[in-house]
Amino acid sequence: MSKSKQCEAVRVVVRCRPFSRKEESQGCEDVLQIDDRLGQITIRNPKAPPDEPMKVFTFDSVYGWDSKQVDIYDDAVRPLVESVLKGFNGTTFAYGQTGTGKTHTMQGVSNDPEMRGIIPNSFQHIFTQISRTQNQKYLVRSSYMEIYQEEVRDLLCKDNNKKLELKENPDSGVYVRGLSSVVTKNATEIEHVMNIGNQSRSVGFTNMNERSSRSHAIFVITVECSEVGPDGEDHIRVGKLNMVDLAGSERQSKTGAKGKRLKEAAKINLSLSALGNVISALVNGKSTHIPYRDSKLTRLLQDSLGGNAKTVMIATVGPSHKDFEESLATLRYANRAKEIKNKPRINEDPKDALLREFQGEIARLKAQLEERGMLAKERRRIRNSKRLSQSLAGMEEEMLNERDADVWKAFVDEPVVRRHIKEGSDHPKVTLCQGSGERLKHLKDNRKSLVDMQWDPDALEKIIEKYKVHVEIKIQYSTV
Ligand SMILES: Nc1ncnc2c1ncn2[C@@H]1O[C@H](COP(=O)(O)OP(=O)(O)OP(=O)(O)O)[C@@H](O)[C@H]1O
Ligand SMILES: [Mg+2]
């Protein structure tokens, strides 16, 4: 890992949603004022006397009710994703009261280009950037999980009721054991992955939001990049982008949550207060213990809060006077988070880079293919050369038979042999006829050398030469 240990504050932005139809019909008052130029948001207590000063908060950016999805992406998230492509870990999370637009900001409406949220916008951005590079190889994979009632569930797994365990290792920090990871080659593929996961996400009706997120959802994109460094060696950088759509804080009196919804709300509020405690401990300056272990959410966000990641928090608020207290609480929470200092660093050549494993695997497969190709070539060569030698052997057989016939004729013409044949001996030839025996041996050697040569494809010429020799031999023999 890179040695750079420069501190960087968590970037905090605030987004205010427009009035809902219900709020409009109820004649709700607007208690928020946004100054996007100064990055200021002013909140007025609707119950306070008119002379009481309003509370002003300053953030890295503030976005009013008419802000566009693309503005939030370009301004708040694009630089974060650029960093992930360089090998940093990055996290963006939306925090706020229920019904204030966290899911709208993170997810939006994927099939409407203007309404697409941060998660789908990041897909297009990542793959466009990758397509523009020339000397790097990339591997992009994604995971999608939710923390529902303090249990981690894999949203990409068929059996998504399975509870996954959190583990920790010194190299990669906290991770989810057994979480699916899908390699994706383009924006369409990764979007498909997201849509599959969204179908499994826990949502439910409450009085504050028809489609209220009942879980914290985390979409993770891991980008591995391999590039040849000045040393001529292949170097791998790995950046991980966590995009977190938190469940909203809620009050039972407002949401009307009962039974299952109430149980969900209790767990949601518990983990959000654990997140608040971690933030407080981090900015306190005196805390020696940061209570990351108090919830699964804070454990998973450990690197993003006071760790080695770059982090962007998007706090969402509603404009209505009815939500004054919740909005003020969110702004205070967000204001505290501004003080969190991270030490982002590039993940260089991590041990667990999948790209390295894949490259190794590709090299192995290539070698295997090459070997197989060579073997197939060798087999073809052998087959051809066998065919050739078979036909040559046929020719040779014919030729040798002719020659043997000559030799045999010469042999049987020997007076001593002729005598033995007449006497009816079975094996008279070699034992008795020395001169002809030598000639027979020579004939066998010729035949053997031809057999040995059949595996050498370049030997055709030689075989033909040999054949010529045979002819010469034959001529010689025939003249004996
Ligand atoms: N900036 C916005 N512009 C237009 N509509 C918005 C905006 N923000 C939120 N909405 C609308 O408000 C409603 C609630 O938003 P959303 O579901 O995103 O809230 P949430 O913060 O995710 O709530 P929960 O915590 O319950 O999940 C949705 O109908 C959404 O379309
Ligand atoms: Mg939501």
Side-chain angles (χ1 to χ4, degrees), residues 227-275:
E227 186 177 15
V228 178
D231 57 359
E233 295 287 315
D234 231 351
H235 290 283
I236 294 179
R237 298 189 305 262
V238 182
K240 202 198 264 183
L241 176 65
N242 294 305
M243 291 180 282
V244 189
D245 176 17
L246 295 176
S249 52
E250 57 187 61
R251 287 187 182 180
Q252 190 206 348
S253 57
K254 283 186 169 179
T255 55
K258 290 189 189 100
K260 187 181 172 196
R261 293 277 165 271
L262 186 62
K263 229 171 120 191
E264 287 167 352
K267 293 280 188 191
I268 293 169
N269 287 341
L270 211 68
S271 61
L272 290 175
S273 61
L275 182 62

Side-chain angles (χ1 to χ4, degrees), residues 15-20 63-69 72 94-109 115 201-204 206 208-215 245-250 255 268 272 316-317:
R15 186 182 200 186
C16 173
R17 70 155 165 76
F19 276 121
S20 68
Y63 307 94
W65 61 269
D66 54 351
S67 61
K68 300 208 164 40
Q69 298 280 55
I72 315 270
Y95 172 90
Q97 183 198 359
T98 180
T100 49
K102 297 180 293 298
T103 304
H104 178 82
T105 302
M106 296 307 299
Q107 196 73 56
V109 185
M115 298 293 270
R201 207 184 155 186
S202 307
V203 287
T206 72
M208 295 288 282
N209 189 355
E210 274 178 33
R211 284 185 58 79
S212 178
S213 315
R214 310 313 290 165
S215 66
D245 176 17
L246 295 176
S249 52
E250 57 187 61
T255 55
I268 293 169
L272 290 175
T316 56
V317 286

Side-chain angles (χ1 to χ4, degrees), residues 383-394:
R383 254 200 320 272
N384 288 344
S385 117
K386 262 188 181 164
R387 251 181 243 137
L388 174 69
S389 62
Q390 269 164 10
S391 58
L392 281 171

